[in-house]
Amino acid sequence: MLHFELVTPEKLVRSEDVYMVVVPGTEGDFGVLEGHAPLMSTVRDGALSVYRTEGGQPETIAIQGGFAEVNAQGLTVLAESAA
């Protein structure tokens, strides 16, 4: 499983293990699974799609701007705001 954290300046919004997250990067959407190569990207306004299980329906979380980092610990999205 992929460890996923969503953080805004106000609080930690999510911290959980999921199957996959699709991030709205400024260069296009990208999916992150467990074991993804290290990556840093800016994030555009849009929606994160969080898949808790393989083949499951995604939960969407509206975000505004920020950064995404993929490393050995998982995916961290630092968003200006999240709803």
Side-chain angles (χ1 to χ4, degrees):
M1 297 295 281
L2 170 72
H3 186 71
F4 164 62
E5 290 191 345
L6 174 58
V7 182
T8 66
E10 292 80 34
K11 65 180 179 176
L12 174 63
V13 178
R14 291 282 175 93
S15 179
E16 60 189 334
D17 290 336
V18 299
Y19 174 70
M20 179 176 76
V21 179
V22 178
V23 180
T26 52
E27 299 295 319
D29 293 359
F30 60 93
V32 180
L33 294 162
E34 180 181 23
H36 194 288
L39 167 77
M40 285 203 68
S41 175
T42 52
V43 175
R44 72 179 192 283
D45 295 356
L48 289 170
S49 296
V50 180
Y51 294 82
R52 294 186 189 284
T53 60
E54 184 175 2
Q57 291 297 316
E59 173 187 359
T60 57
I61 303 169
I63 61 169
Q64 291 187 325
F67 296 90
E69 179 183 10
V70 180
N71 58 32
Q73 286 73 46
L75 167 67
T76 302
V77 176
L78 306 169
E80 294 171 14
S81 68

